Amino acid sequence: MAIQRTFSIIKPDATKRNLTGAVNAVIEKAGLRIVAQKRILMTRAQAETFYSVHAARPFFGELCDFMTSGPVVVQVLEGENAIATYRDVMGATNPANAAEGTIRKLFALSVGENTAHGSDAPETAAQEIAQFFAGNEIVG
Ligand code: ADP
Ligand code: MG
């Protein structure tokens, strides 16, 4: 399996509870390397662009409110099969359904305030990374 990159966000519920390091420890223990990372306050426009695939969903407004409610940590993760590996490490969207030891089982508060984002495919990973990072900000 090839080395891949995926895009990750540590969401406001986690930064608020000072869990950035705890989430990063789970990421690194899973063998993923954090090759870019910055703490930002997402603008409304950035959140709406990022989640545009969900624009018609009933939770879209609430999701954009949440993602702009406090700092987030945007990251690029690198490793073997990184996209699927990180989805496994995060666990199910709803923490009630997430497996033991996953980020969402360990830390998420609800289906909305669920601590982490991870890309779902190579195309979305490339697009999401490009939304937040210039090439020279990623150091593998
Ligand atoms: P994932 O983040 O696991 O890829 P989705 O792409 O389906 O999940 O949803 C994007 C984000 O929207 C979720 O991580 C969560 O923050 C929020 N979300 C999803 N479903 C709901 C819901 N039913 N109610 C509120 N927020 C939701
Ligand atoms: Mg998704």
Side-chain angles (χ1 to χ4, degrees), residues 11-12 42 44 47-48 50-55 57-69 111-114 117:
K11 296 185 180 183
M42 241 190 229
R44 184 87 193 177
E48 287 178 354
F50 185 77
Y51 279 120
S52 59
V53 68
H54 295 307
R57 308 284 285 275
F59 58 79
F60 182 67
E62 177 192 325
L63 175 59
C64 293
D65 289 344
F66 167 57
M67 292 302 290
T68 56
S69 69
V111 65
E113 301 198 16
N114 61 0
H117 165 85

mmCIF file of all heavy atoms in Angstrom, residues 11-12 42 44 47-48 50-55 57-69 111-114 117:
data_model
loop_
_atom_site.group_PDB
_atom_site.id
_atom_site.type_symbol
_atom_site.label_atom_id
_atom_site.label_comp_id
_atom_site.label_asym_id
_atom_site.label_seq_id
_atom_site.Cartn_x
_atom_site.Cartn_y
_atom_site.Cartn_z
ATOM 1 N N LYS A 11 -11.511 19.601 15.922
ATOM 2 C CA LYS A 11 -12.650 20.534 15.917
ATOM 3 C C LYS A 11 -12.739 21.347 17.226
ATOM 4 O O LYS A 11 -12.082 21.016 18.222
ATOM 5 C CB LYS A 11 -13.943 19.735 15.669
ATOM 6 C CG LYS A 11 -13.992 19.064 14.285
ATOM 7 C CD LYS A 11 -15.340 18.386 14.036
ATOM 8 C CE LYS A 11 -15.402 17.732 12.670
ATOM 9 N NZ LYS A 11 -16.745 17.130 12.402
ATOM 10 N N PRO A 12 -13.589 22.417 17.210
ATOM 11 C CA PRO A 12 -13.655 23.324 18.375
ATOM 12 C C PRO A 12 -14.000 22.657 19.703
ATOM 13 O O PRO A 12 -13.550 23.120 20.750
ATOM 14 C CB PRO A 12 -14.740 24.326 17.971
ATOM 15 C CG PRO A 12 -14.697 24.347 16.485
ATOM 16 C CD PRO A 12 -14.397 22.930 16.087
ATOM 17 N N MET A 42 -11.624 29.403 11.780
ATOM 18 C CA MET A 42 -12.221 29.304 10.442
ATOM 19 C C MET A 42 -13.229 30.425 10.228
ATOM 20 O O MET A 42 -14.017 30.728 11.133
ATOM 21 C CB MET A 42 -12.972 27.974 10.326
ATOM 22 C CG MET A 42 -12.437 27.087 9.260
ATOM 23 S SD MET A 42 -13.533 25.689 8.985
ATOM 24 C CE MET A 42 -12.325 24.415 9.028
ATOM 25 N N ARG A 44 -16.627 31.933 8.334
ATOM 26 C CA ARG A 44 -17.897 31.344 7.875
ATOM 27 C C ARG A 44 -17.758 30.867 6.419
ATOM 28 O O ARG A 44 -18.199 29.780 6.064
ATOM 29 C CB ARG A 44 -18.995 32.408 7.981
ATOM 30 C CG ARG A 44 -20.360 31.913 7.635
ATOM 31 C CD ARG A 44 -20.996 31.328 8.881
ATOM 32 N NE ARG A 44 -22.167 30.565 8.542
ATOM 33 C CZ ARG A 44 -22.878 29.899 9.441
ATOM 34 N NH1 ARG A 44 -22.533 29.898 10.704
ATOM 35 N NH2 ARG A 44 -23.925 29.207 9.069
ATOM 36 N N ALA A 47 -15.811 27.643 6.226
ATOM 37 C CA ALA A 47 -16.606 26.501 6.705
ATOM 38 C C ALA A 47 -17.655 26.101 5.661
ATOM 39 O O ALA A 47 -17.848 24.911 5.393
ATOM 40 C CB ALA A 47 -17.267 26.846 8.035
ATOM 41 N N GLU A 48 -18.311 27.078 5.070
ATOM 42 C CA GLU A 48 -19.351 26.777 4.075
ATOM 43 C C GLU A 48 -18.748 26.122 2.834
ATOM 44 O O GLU A 48 -19.331 25.208 2.261
ATOM 45 C CB GLU A 48 -20.118 28.055 3.714
ATOM 46 C CG GLU A 48 -21.041 28.487 4.848
ATOM 47 C CD GLU A 48 -21.796 29.776 4.576
ATOM 48 O OE1 GLU A 48 -21.543 30.431 3.539
ATOM 49 O OE2 GLU A 48 -22.648 30.139 5.419
ATOM 50 N N PHE A 50 -15.877 24.398 2.819
ATOM 51 C CA PHE A 50 -15.352 23.091 3.231
ATOM 52 C C PHE A 50 -16.457 22.040 3.284
ATOM 53 O O PHE A 50 -16.272 20.905 2.854
ATOM 54 C CB PHE A 50 -14.671 23.219 4.609
ATOM 55 C CG PHE A 50 -14.000 21.958 5.036
ATOM 56 C CD1 PHE A 50 -12.786 21.591 4.484
ATOM 57 C CD2 PHE A 50 -14.590 21.117 5.962
ATOM 58 C CE1 PHE A 50 -12.170 20.399 4.842
ATOM 59 C CE2 PHE A 50 -13.982 19.927 6.328
ATOM 60 C CZ PHE A 50 -12.765 19.577 5.772
ATOM 61 N N TYR A 51 -17.629 22.420 3.821
ATOM 62 C CA TYR A 51 -18.727 21.462 3.982
ATOM 63 C C TYR A 51 -19.806 21.631 2.919
ATOM 64 O O TYR A 51 -20.953 21.227 3.134
ATOM 65 C CB TYR A 51 -19.323 21.599 5.380
ATOM 66 C CG TYR A 51 -18.516 20.873 6.456
ATOM 67 C CD1 TYR A 51 -17.962 21.546 7.533
ATOM 68 C CD2 TYR A 51 -18.321 19.489 6.394
ATOM 69 C CE1 TYR A 51 -17.232 20.875 8.519
ATOM 70 C CE2 TYR A 51 -17.598 18.807 7.364
ATOM 71 C CZ TYR A 51 -17.061 19.506 8.424
ATOM 72 O OH TYR A 51 -16.352 18.831 9.386
ATOM 73 N N SER A 52 -19.461 22.198 1.753
ATOM 74 C CA SER A 52 -20.473 22.487 0.732
ATOM 75 C C SER A 52 -21.232 21.235 0.281
ATOM 76 O O SER A 52 -22.400 21.330 -0.105
ATOM 77 C CB SER A 52 -19.841 23.188 -0.476
ATOM 78 O OG SER A 52 -18.836 22.383 -1.024
ATOM 79 N N VAL A 53 -20.595 20.061 0.377
ATOM 80 C CA VAL A 53 -21.276 18.818 0.005
ATOM 81 C C VAL A 53 -22.509 18.573 0.891
ATOM 82 O O VAL A 53 -23.447 17.886 0.495
ATOM 83 C CB VAL A 53 -20.289 17.620 0.058
ATOM 84 C CG1 VAL A 53 -19.866 17.308 1.490
ATOM 85 C CG2 VAL A 53 -20.873 16.385 -0.592
ATOM 86 N N HIS A 54 -22.507 19.178 2.091
ATOM 87 C CA HIS A 54 -23.621 18.993 3.025
ATOM 88 C C HIS A 54 -24.584 20.186 3.033
ATOM 89 O O HIS A 54 -25.433 20.287 3.929
ATOM 90 C CB HIS A 54 -23.094 18.784 4.446
ATOM 91 C CG HIS A 54 -22.296 17.525 4.622
ATOM 92 N ND1 HIS A 54 -22.760 16.289 4.252
ATOM 93 C CD2 HIS A 54 -21.048 17.315 5.123
ATOM 94 C CE1 HIS A 54 -21.840 15.370 4.522
ATOM 95 N NE2 HIS A 54 -20.791 15.968 5.043
ATOM 96 N N ALA A 55 -24.472 21.089 2.052
ATOM 97 C CA ALA A 55 -25.229 22.350 2.085
ATOM 98 C C ALA A 55 -26.741 22.143 2.187
ATOM 99 O O ALA A 55 -27.439 22.972 2.776
ATOM 100 C CB ALA A 55 -24.899 23.192 0.861
ATOM 101 N N ARG A 57 -28.233 19.623 3.726
ATOM 102 C CA ARG A 57 -28.608 18.827 4.910
ATOM 103 C C ARG A 57 -29.163 19.746 6.002
ATOM 104 O O ARG A 57 -28.748 20.901 6.137
ATOM 105 C CB ARG A 57 -27.391 18.063 5.454
ATOM 106 C CG ARG A 57 -26.658 17.238 4.399
ATOM 107 C CD ARG A 57 -27.381 15.956 4.047
ATOM 108 N NE ARG A 57 -27.240 14.967 5.076
ATOM 109 C CZ ARG A 57 -26.202 14.134 5.182
ATOM 110 N NH1 ARG A 57 -25.209 14.184 4.308
ATOM 111 N NH2 ARG A 57 -26.147 13.242 6.148
ATOM 112 N N PRO A 58 -30.090 19.232 6.813
ATOM 113 C CA PRO A 58 -30.707 20.070 7.852
ATOM 114 C C PRO A 58 -29.711 20.588 8.889
ATOM 115 O O PRO A 58 -29.951 21.622 9.504
ATOM 116 C CB PRO A 58 -31.742 19.142 8.503
ATOM 117 C CG PRO A 58 -31.402 17.763 8.066
ATOM 118 C CD PRO A 58 -30.684 17.877 6.761
ATOM 119 N N PHE A 59 -28.584 19.888 9.070
ATOM 120 C CA PHE A 59 -27.622 20.296 10.098
ATOM 121 C C PHE A 59 -26.543 21.240 9.569
ATOM 122 O O PHE A 59 -25.625 21.596 10.304
ATOM 123 C CB PHE A 59 -26.970 19.059 10.741
ATOM 124 C CG PHE A 59 -26.254 18.137 9.773
ATOM 125 C CD1 PHE A 59 -24.980 18.434 9.298
ATOM 126 C CD2 PHE A 59 -26.859 16.963 9.348
ATOM 127 C CE1 PHE A 59 -24.327 17.599 8.412
ATOM 128 C CE2 PHE A 59 -26.214 16.105 8.452
ATOM 129 C CZ PHE A 59 -24.940 16.438 7.994
ATOM 130 N N PHE A 60 -26.653 21.670 8.296
ATOM 131 C CA PHE A 60 -25.570 22.470 7.681
ATOM 132 C C PHE A 60 -25.290 23.778 8.448
ATOM 133 O O PHE A 60 -24.132 24.115 8.734
ATOM 134 C CB PHE A 60 -25.907 22.769 6.224
ATOM 135 C CG PHE A 60 -24.840 23.545 5.497
ATOM 136 C CD1 PHE A 60 -23.597 22.989 5.234
ATOM 137 C CD2 PHE A 60 -25.079 24.845 5.071
ATOM 138 C CE1 PHE A 60 -22.607 23.706 4.562
ATOM 139 C CE2 PHE A 60 -24.100 25.572 4.396
ATOM 140 C CZ PHE A 60 -22.866 24.998 4.136
ATOM 141 N N GLY A 61 -26.352 24.512 8.792
ATOM 142 C CA GLY A 61 -26.171 25.792 9.491
ATOM 143 C C GLY A 61 -25.514 25.593 10.848
ATOM 144 O O GLY A 61 -24.557 26.282 11.215
ATOM 145 N N GLU A 62 -26.027 24.601 11.568
ATOM 146 C CA GLU A 62 -25.503 24.253 12.896
ATOM 147 C C GLU A 62 -24.032 23.813 12.792
ATOM 148 O O GLU A 62 -23.188 24.165 13.626
ATOM 149 C CB GLU A 62 -26.382 23.112 13.418
ATOM 150 C CG GLU A 62 -26.048 22.481 14.733
ATOM 151 C CD GLU A 62 -26.860 21.176 14.925
ATOM 152 O OE1 GLU A 62 -28.025 21.117 14.469
ATOM 153 O OE2 GLU A 62 -26.328 20.228 15.510
ATOM 154 N N LEU A 63 -23.724 23.061 11.735
ATOM 155 C CA LEU A 63 -22.347 22.583 11.525
ATOM 156 C C LEU A 63 -21.401 23.754 11.273
ATOM 157 O O LEU A 63 -20.312 23.812 11.862
ATOM 158 C CB LEU A 63 -22.342 21.605 10.344
ATOM 159 C CG LEU A 63 -20.992 21.065 9.867
ATOM 160 C CD1 LEU A 63 -20.258 20.333 10.982
ATOM 161 C CD2 LEU A 63 -21.207 20.115 8.666
ATOM 162 N N CYS A 64 -21.819 24.701 10.442
ATOM 163 C CA CYS A 64 -20.961 25.867 10.155
ATOM 164 C C CYS A 64 -20.846 26.764 11.390
ATOM 165 O O CYS A 64 -19.768 27.318 11.648
ATOM 166 C CB CYS A 64 -21.479 26.623 8.942
ATOM 167 S SG CYS A 64 -21.331 25.658 7.422
ATOM 168 N N ASP A 65 -21.926 26.898 12.175
ATOM 169 C CA ASP A 65 -21.856 27.640 13.444
ATOM 170 C C ASP A 65 -20.803 27.003 14.351
ATOM 171 O O ASP A 65 -19.954 27.688 14.922
ATOM 172 C CB ASP A 65 -23.203 27.600 14.203
ATOM 173 C CG ASP A 65 -24.292 28.428 13.540
ATOM 174 O OD1 ASP A 65 -23.971 29.262 12.677
ATOM 175 O OD2 ASP A 65 -25.472 28.217 13.900
ATOM 176 N N PHE A 66 -20.881 25.686 14.476
ATOM 177 C CA PHE A 66 -19.951 24.959 15.359
ATOM 178 C C PHE A 66 -18.501 25.112 14.894
ATOM 179 O O PHE A 66 -17.610 25.416 15.696
ATOM 180 C CB PHE A 66 -20.365 23.481 15.411
ATOM 181 C CG PHE A 66 -19.341 22.573 16.026
ATOM 182 C CD1 PHE A 66 -18.877 22.813 17.321
ATOM 183 C CD2 PHE A 66 -18.832 21.489 15.324
ATOM 184 C CE1 PHE A 66 -17.909 21.971 17.894
ATOM 185 C CE2 PHE A 66 -17.877 20.651 15.883
ATOM 186 C CZ PHE A 66 -17.415 20.898 17.174
ATOM 187 N N MET A 67 -18.271 24.935 13.603
ATOM 188 C CA MET A 67 -16.886 24.946 13.095
ATOM 189 C C MET A 67 -16.231 26.317 13.176
ATOM 190 O O MET A 67 -15.008 26.427 13.094
ATOM 191 C CB MET A 67 -16.850 24.415 11.660
ATOM 192 C CG MET A 67 -17.187 22.937 11.545
ATOM 193 S SD MET A 67 -16.118 21.831 12.490
ATOM 194 C CE MET A 67 -14.586 21.961 11.553
ATOM 195 N N THR A 68 -17.058 27.372 13.346
ATOM 196 C CA THR A 68 -16.518 28.728 13.475
ATOM 197 C C THR A 68 -16.640 29.239 14.920
ATOM 198 O O THR A 68 -16.373 30.409 15.191
ATOM 199 C CB THR A 68 -17.253 29.704 12.532
ATOM 200 O OG1 THR A 68 -18.665 29.653 12.815
ATOM 201 C CG2 THR A 68 -17.048 29.334 11.078
ATOM 202 N N SER A 69 -17.017 28.354 15.840
ATOM 203 C CA SER A 69 -17.288 28.777 17.226
ATOM 204 C C SER A 69 -16.039 28.895 18.079
ATOM 205 O O SER A 69 -16.097 29.406 19.199
ATOM 206 C CB SER A 69 -18.259 27.792 17.893
ATOM 207 O OG SER A 69 -17.619 26.533 18.095
ATOM 208 N N VAL A 111 -22.955 13.677 17.872
ATOM 209 C CA VAL A 111 -22.768 13.457 16.434
ATOM 210 C C VAL A 111 -22.264 14.730 15.740
ATOM 211 O O VAL A 111 -21.537 14.653 14.741
ATOM 212 C CB VAL A 111 -24.053 12.911 15.771
ATOM 213 C CG1 VAL A 111 -25.184 13.932 15.815
ATOM 214 C CG2 VAL A 111 -23.805 12.454 14.344
ATOM 215 N N GLY A 112 -22.615 15.886 16.257
ATOM 216 C CA GLY A 112 -22.155 17.153 15.673
ATOM 217 C C GLY A 112 -20.789 17.538 16.216
ATOM 218 O O GLY A 112 -19.850 17.796 15.460
ATOM 219 N N GLU A 113 -20.678 17.570 17.537
ATOM 220 C CA GLU A 113 -19.425 17.970 18.202
ATOM 221 C C GLU A 113 -18.568 16.716 18.389
ATOM 222 O O GLU A 113 -18.429 16.178 19.497
ATOM 223 C CB GLU A 113 -19.738 18.673 19.527
ATOM 224 C CG GLU A 113 -20.594 19.913 19.301
ATOM 225 C CD GLU A 113 -20.580 20.893 20.469
ATOM 226 O OE1 GLU A 113 -19.700 20.799 21.342
ATOM 227 O OE2 GLU A 113 -21.455 21.765 20.492
ATOM 228 N N ASN A 114 -18.004 16.264 17.251
ATOM 229 C CA ASN A 114 -17.380 14.944 17.257
ATOM 230 C C ASN A 114 -15.861 14.978 17.049
ATOM 231 O O ASN A 114 -15.270 14.036 16.527
ATOM 232 C CB ASN A 114 -18.077 14.028 16.247
ATOM 233 C CG ASN A 114 -17.978 14.539 14.826
ATOM 234 O OD1 ASN A 114 -17.386 15.588 14.578
ATOM 235 N ND2 ASN A 114 -18.538 13.795 13.883
ATOM 236 N N HIS A 117 -12.217 15.667 12.048
ATOM 237 C CA HIS A 117 -12.594 15.455 10.648
ATOM 238 C C HIS A 117 -11.461 14.710 9.966
ATOM 239 O O HIS A 117 -10.295 14.995 10.226
ATOM 240 C CB HIS A 117 -12.802 16.790 9.914
ATOM 241 C CG HIS A 117 -12.832 16.612 8.408
ATOM 242 N ND1 HIS A 117 -13.988 16.279 7.745
ATOM 243 C CD2 HIS A 117 -11.839 16.632 7.475
ATOM 244 C CE1 HIS A 117 -13.695 16.128 6.444
ATOM 245 N NE2 HIS A 117 -12.409 16.338 6.266
#
